[in-house]
Amino acid sequence: MDGGSFKYPSTMREAAVEHTSGKGRGTVCDEATLAELEVLLGHDHLKRLLSLLVVEIRVRFPAGNDDRATIAQDAHALLASSGSLGFLDLSRCCSVIEQACLKGDDIAIPLQEGRIAADRALTALAVLGARE
């Protein structure tokens, strides 16, 4: 590999498999997906993608934005990028937000859950060394 293999510190392992099923959340990220992407793309490229995900998370769902169309677009974009990199809880939350927007359902709780999942993903990404 071009930059060495990801060696997840125990805190990342704990974050990646942390379950909070009582609150309907699953894992922060899937280590197997990250490992497979590292083999396919190389360490440096994966790290760049993870850094882009940090930026993506930070620009989506800004406080004070109540435009459902924009929120749905943000959710769709983040659903795809986070899911493809193994951040499955965030991806799932974004799917719920997008569907609520499209159906005209209340989005307050899904948006709150999405922001919590985004914060958890940012914590895991920081442990992985991904930066803006």
Side-chain angles (χ1 to χ4, degrees):
M1 295 209 187
D2 48 351
S5 181
F6 274 114
K7 298 296 182 203
Y8 304 110
S10 61
T11 56
M12 184 57 206
R13 284 196 184 99
E14 291 167 8
V17 298
E18 174 190 359
H19 289 277
T20 51
S21 56
K23 296 186 179 183
R25 295 187 189 102
T27 59
V28 175
C29 68
D30 180 54
E31 282 188 276
T33 299
L34 290 176
E36 184 176 342
L37 288 170
E38 185 178 21
V39 169
L40 293 171
L41 303 173
H43 178 81
D44 291 343
H45 188 75
L46 176 57
K47 199 147 187 171
R48 281 191 298 276
L49 290 175
L50 293 174
S51 293
L52 289 172
L53 181 59
V54 170
V55 173
E56 181 88 12
I57 291 170
R58 292 199 190 283
V59 300
R60 302 296 176 181
F61 312 127
N65 179 19
D66 60 354
D67 177 51
R68 292 176 79 87
T70 301
I71 292 169
Q73 289 172 351
D74 283 351
H76 183 77
L78 195 51
L79 179 161
S81 58
S82 62
S84 66
L85 292 172
F87 288 80
L88 305 179
D89 184 46
L90 178 56
S91 183
R92 180 196 59 77
C93 286
C94 289
S95 177
V96 172
I97 293 167
E98 181 183 30
Q99 290 304 308
C101 286
L102 296 174
K103 292 178 183 176
D105 293 343
D106 181 38
I107 61 170
I109 292 173
L111 198 53
Q112 180 183 10
E113 292 286 321
R115 287 182 173 135
I116 291 168
D119 287 343
R120 293 174 72 216
L122 287 171
T123 298
L125 286 159
V127 172
L128 285 170
R131 292 175 173 61
E132 290 183 67

